[in-house]
Amino acid sequence: MDQIGIDAAAHDQALRGLRRINAFSGAAGSLFSPIKALAVALDHSRPLRILDVACGGGDNTIALAERCRKEGLAVHIDGCDRSQQAVAIASRHAAGTPLSGTFFQADALDDPLPPDYDVILCSLFLHHLDEDAAVDLLRRMGQSCRHLVLVNDLIRSPLGYGLAWVGCRLLSRSPIVHFDGPVSVQGAFRMKEALDLACRAGLGGASIRRSWPERFLLSWRRPDLSPEAP
């Protein structure tokens, strides 16, 4: 799904399938908890600014914005992706939703990350990278964000592979998703490996926890803030 020049119709179908998978997995809920804790710690009068890098079709971006709205949390959430097709799909998907932010084209691995976001997050992207690229991304996210880095991703495990194989076929008709899901688990990191990558990236004090179904949430706050809430 991360290939440049993928057929537009096939890309759209794959992103619709991924949207259902993300909704089923509750990824937005996992991301919301540390964002809410940050908002309480900062007690800002302005909305939190959040950037979702490699956002794909924007489903997690929009779902997170909706969760924040329902909980009364003031946020401004933008999303970026290197694929112009993905940005266009995300923008169409966002039309008519309460998302206050925008989607724009940017390559999280090559383009400078904007320095004016309180939170920089990525979801289901780290497993596409080798160790060196993952460390570089985490380092750049940590250097650019004002306060918080969040990474939601797959756990490499036999259970994760089985869940991906079954779930992708139940929740999507896309051949790309059928192939990409299990292969993504094979390319993913174990939780200890992901935490080691964060340490190599200079994100000392990062924490990691398991989330359903067989995913992890990696969190890092700048050390001048109070300790992270569980």
Side-chain angles (χ1 to χ4, degrees):
M1 199 183 305
D2 57 342
Q3 293 179 352
I4 296 176
I6 189 173
D7 176 75
H11 196 182
D12 196 3
Q13 182 190 39
L15 289 174
R16 287 199 306 271
L18 188 58
R19 187 173 304 139
R20 288 189 291 272
I21 291 168
N22 280 325
F24 183 76
S25 70
S30 176
L31 294 165
F32 174 77
S33 295
I35 290 174
K36 181 179 179 180
L38 175 66
V40 171
L42 294 178
D43 194 24
H44 276 178
S45 57
R46 64 169 178 81
L48 282 181
R49 287 181 51 80
I50 302 171
L51 177 63
D52 183 6
V53 302
C55 66
D59 46 293
N60 275 331
T61 321
I62 296 167
L64 180 59
E66 175 65 13
R67 175 66 183 271
C68 290
R69 185 191 67 82
K70 288 182 177 179
E71 298 286 342
L73 188 64
V75 297
H76 176 100
I77 306 180
D78 295 327
C80 67
D81 198 276
R82 73 173 183 174
S83 166
Q84 186 176 3
Q85 292 177 12
V87 170
I89 290 168
S91 299
R92 290 199 304 270
H93 182 208
T97 73
L99 179 71
S100 61
T102 59
F103 293 98
F104 60 93
Q105 188 174 8
D107 189 331
L109 298 179
D110 291 327
D111 297 330
L113 294 176
D116 57 342
Y117 287 95
D118 299 298
V119 182
I120 299 182
L121 64 89
C122 67
S123 186
L124 297 183
F125 180 54
L126 202 70
H127 66 261
H128 290 282
L129 309 178
D130 61 26
E131 288 191 6
D132 289 341
V135 168
D136 184 57
L137 174 66
L138 292 170
R139 179 183 297 114
R140 295 170 69 242
M141 290 172 70
Q143 291 171 344
S144 296
C145 79
R146 287 172 172 167
H147 298 292
L148 180 63
V149 170
L150 295 174
V151 178
N152 175 268
D153 218 295
L154 306 168
I155 297 173
R156 188 174 82 249
S157 69
L159 175 60
Y161 184 90
L163 289 172
W165 196 96
V166 173
C168 287
R169 283 158 176 77
L170 288 175
L171 296 172
S172 176
R173 295 181 179 180
S174 166
I176 295 174
V177 172
H178 295 173
F179 173 81
D180 191 60
V183 169
S184 293
V185 174
Q186 289 178 322
F189 298 102
R190 295 186 174 91
M191 291 177 63
K192 183 181 183 304
E193 292 171 339
L195 193 58
D196 288 343
L197 294 176
C199 291
R200 288 170 53 188
L203 305 185
S207 63
I208 194 167
R209 63 175 175 83
R210 187 182 299 270
S211 62
W212 188 88
E214 204 65 2
R215 293 191 184 187
F216 66 77
L217 180 69
L218 176 74
S219 306
W220 176 79
R221 281 193 189 180
R222 291 198 175 277
D224 55 328
L225 292 180
S226 58
E228 185 176 13

